[in-house]
Amino acid sequence: MPSSLRHLCDALGPSPVRLVTAPRGAEGRVSGTLVYEPRGPLPHRDDALLLAVGVPPSEAPPLVDAAAAAGLAGIVVKQYGEPVADLALAAEKAGVALLTADDDLAWQQLDALVTSALAAVAGTGQGTAGPDIGDLFSLANAIAAAVGGATAIEDPYQRILAYSTLRGQEIDEERRQGILGLHVPYAPINVPQYRELARATRVLRFAASPGGLARIAVAVRAGSELLGSIWVVDAHDDLGEEAVRTLDDAARIAGLHLLRARTSHDLVRRQRGDLLRRLLDDPASAPLVGPQLGLPVDAPAVVAAFHLTAAGPDDALTARAALQLTDLVSLHCEAHYSHHGCALIDGTVYALLPADAHRDFVADVARRAHRALHLPVRAALGSVAPSLRAAPASRRDADTVLRTLAPADTAVAAIDDVRPTVTLAELAEQAHLIPRLAEGAGPAIRAHDAAHRTAYAETLLAYFAADSDISTAARALNIHPNTCRYRLSRAESLFHLRLSDPDTRLVLWLQLRLAEGS
């Protein structure tokens, strides 16, 4: 089944292939690959990509014209340090797409990656629910048998995608915990080990940690892009060079499997994200979106929101951390709820969950994300929506709860936990609709304090918070009770107050509290 250039590039990621120009648009069809053979004319192959083996950009313009005449979708070249601006102009004129490939990626592997990606995209388009995980587990067992140790296949975020299940191969507690959580347990030694492995181009050996077993590991790549890694337990520290060569060969085979798994996962995630985004923006879409998410339109649901404190000034790092958070939230939602929606919208990860989703579940996901990403994660649970049509209201509640949480903390709250605070915040936003809130004693006291550096507002708020007990209020203000009593008496005189009247106290407290957030 033909795919599009956009889907293909999304599947392969920013590496190993980059789209330079697409005169027919990124939705132009791609049906397969054709390897360039210089000894004869190009055969007619509708919508195929021509792999320009051995042709530098400076010599490729005639090949672009030939590709257009043969009905090809585009041409893929390696730059080898040459610019491609002139070739891009030629491609634009001929009406074919131009893509560049990593110089260090073998043409045979690129051919296999593109073919695998197109198959994965086509499979997902036909309704596949996700990656063919069975293939990965079979591959893990094959590697374990060939290399001689229990094997785990991981993605770049240390999620365990598959693991071997052969009897008689020893494992340690770290592997047991990883299998249970489908994620490598955090340990300080992991950080330098994974960093070293990501830079390496060969199999590495890692000594046993206290209470654990040694391992050999290799990174899995498509060109320069890291797709994941393979880890093999070396229980007796005796896996020799033959095992190392076998694992190195396995990494090349695993690249195709990981690319397909990632492609299918990414497309399914993107589709579910698009559906949830549409539902949260347009309640009328619920009858169409609900069945695709596996959620009954009239069933109650709730929106959870997760927000990650920025990783730093680097926008790329922040964006990557947000994507990792999306993966983690989606992973845990899939494990607990077979039907859900998950999407990253404007830096916040939203999950649409069944109404019985509990605050404890949201808190557990936030804690796990914090441990995995080493960044504070705020999480909120909105109000229960009686049907999917009311999901946007649950999202608004979740957003409001997030705003009440300190941005630097890993904190979790449900709307019921902070409803009074949220109500005050909403009242403050709508205060302009009640002009009398800007009149009378409250604004006058704030203005007097600002002009004369007095503390009447602070004293009155402490007095109200202490349930009108002067001694308690004085302790909160760290002043003598007589001083507190004098300030209150002076405030009554200056601003014509009658603090014994409950309505006066209520309106004054409201004015002073709302002014605190302005």
Side-chain angles (χ1 to χ4, degrees):
M1 175 183 287
S3 181
S4 69
L5 277 171
R6 178 176 64 82
H7 284 148
L8 177 62
C9 292
D10 284 347
L12 293 173
S15 175
V17 171
R18 293 166 296 282
L19 180 62
V20 178
T21 184
R24 302 177 193 172
E27 299 303 322
R29 300 199 316 167
V30 179
S31 61
T33 60
L34 176 65
V35 178
Y36 174 59
E37 172 54 62
R39 289 176 291 182
L42 292 178
H44 191 92
R45 285 278 302 277
D46 285 338
D47 304 320
L49 279 179
L50 179 64
L51 307 184
V53 179
V55 182
S58 57
E59 299 176 13
L63 197 57
V64 166
D65 295 330
L72 304 184
I75 178 173
V76 185
V77 300
K78 292 185 178 182
Q79 289 188 245
Y80 299 117
E82 292 187 10
V84 293
D86 291 341
L87 184 58
L89 291 175
E92 285 279 353
K93 184 176 179 181
V96 296
L98 173 64
L99 301 94
T100 60
D102 280 355
D103 293 349
D104 58 353
L105 180 66
W107 284 108
Q108 297 94 326
Q109 188 183 11
L110 176 61
D111 188 15
L113 288 174
V114 172
T115 301
S116 178
L118 289 175
V121 171
T124 304
Q126 291 169 347
T128 301
D132 190 353
I133 295 298
D135 286 349
L136 283 177
F137 276 87
S138 297
L139 177 62
N141 278 332
I143 295 172
V147 178
T151 299
I153 301 174
E154 304 173 10
D155 72 2
Y157 309 125
Q158 301 174 35
R159 293 183 305 182
I160 297 176
L161 302 176
Y163 51 87
S164 61
T165 55
L166 302 184
R167 292 184 177 181
Q169 292 186 333
E170 295 182 43
I171 61 174
D172 54 17
E173 187 61 25
E174 180 180 354
R175 177 179 165 90
R176 289 189 188 91
Q177 293 301 318
I179 290 173
L180 287 174
L182 292 180
H183 196 284
V184 176
Y186 172 74
I189 191 61
N190 288 351
V191 176
Q193 285 185 348
Y194 277 91
R195 187 179 296 126
E196 181 183 3
L197 187 63
R199 292 195 299 260
T201 57
R202 56 185 177 82
V203 175
L204 297 182
R205 295 182 183 273
F206 295 103
S209 57
L213 299 172
R215 283 166 171 73
I216 60 174
V218 64
V220 180
R221 289 187 174 82
S224 60
E225 183 176 10
L226 181 66
L227 297 178
S229 57
I230 306 173
W231 293 74
V232 178
V233 174
D234 189 358
H236 303 288
D237 205 14
D238 60 355
L239 296 181
E241 289 306 310
E242 181 63 28
V244 168
R245 284 192 294 271
T246 301
L247 184 56
D248 193 45
D249 291 340
R252 285 187 282 273
I253 299 171
L256 299 177
H257 289 267
L258 287 181
L259 179 67
R260 180 166 185 173
R262 187 193 69 177
T263 299
S264 299
H265 172 76
D266 285 352
L267 288 175
V268 169
R269 182 183 66 184
R270 186 160 50 248
Q271 289 166 357
R272 296 183 74 87
D274 289 344
L275 289 170
L276 179 56
R277 187 178 291 104
R278 181 178 176 186
L279 175 64
L280 295 180
D281 288 339
D282 179 16
S285 68
L288 294 175
V289 172
Q292 296 182 73
L293 290 175
L295 294 169
V297 177
D298 294 324
V302 64
V303 174
F306 302 82
H307 191 83
L308 191 69
T309 299
D314 190 326
D315 290 340
L317 289 177
T318 300
R320 179 177 179 182
L323 289 175
Q324 288 178 270
L325 178 62
T326 307
D327 283 340
L328 288 168
V329 172
S330 182
L331 178 69
H332 289 291
C333 289
E334 288 170 7
H336 287 79
Y337 305 101
S338 57
H339 302 300
H340 77 287
C342 190
L344 175 64
I345 305 175
D346 297 330
T348 297
V349 179
Y350 295 97
L352 181 65
L353 304 173
D356 60 355
H358 196 269
R359 180 188 183 282
D360 291 344
F361 168 73
V362 175
D364 183 57
V365 174
R367 283 193 297 269
R368 290 174 182 268
H370 173 60
R371 286 199 300 267
L373 302 176
H374 311 296
L375 290 169
V377 178
R378 289 175 289 151
L381 193 63
S383 55
V384 174
S387 71
L388 292 190
R389 295 178 181 85
S394 182
R395 177 205 176 175
R396 287 193 295 273
D397 280 347
D399 285 337
T400 305
V401 173
L402 281 182
R403 289 195 294 270
T404 69
L405 299 174
D409 295 334
T410 296
V412 181
I415 184 66
D416 289 334
D417 298 330
V418 293
R419 194 174 294 277
T421 303
V422 167
T423 302
L424 278 176
E426 291 179 348
L427 185 57
E429 291 175 358
Q430 302 298 321
H432 64 281
L433 299 177
I434 310 174
R436 292 194 185 280
L437 284 175
E439 302 171 355
I445 291 170
R446 287 290 185 186
H448 187 281
D449 283 348
H452 302 281
R453 297 184 180 181
T454 50
Y456 290 117
E458 180 186 23
T459 303
L460 285 162
L461 285 172
Y463 176 65
F464 295 146
D467 198 19
S468 303
D469 184 83
I470 290 179
S471 297
T472 303
R475 282 195 298 272
L477 294 168
N478 198 26
I479 59 177
H480 194 278
N482 287 342
T483 303
C484 182
R485 190 174 289 106
Y486 170 79
R487 288 182 185 176
L488 294 173
S489 175
R490 182 65 175 156
E492 285 187 300
S493 174
L494 278 175
F495 306 108
H496 310 291
L497 298 175
R498 192 157 54 91
L499 294 179
S500 60
D501 176 51
D503 289 346
T504 297
R505 292 200 304 270
L506 174 61
V507 173
L508 180 57
W509 174 85
L510 191 58
Q511 289 178 320
L512 295 176
R513 281 288 281 114
L514 295 182
E516 281 187 322
S518 61

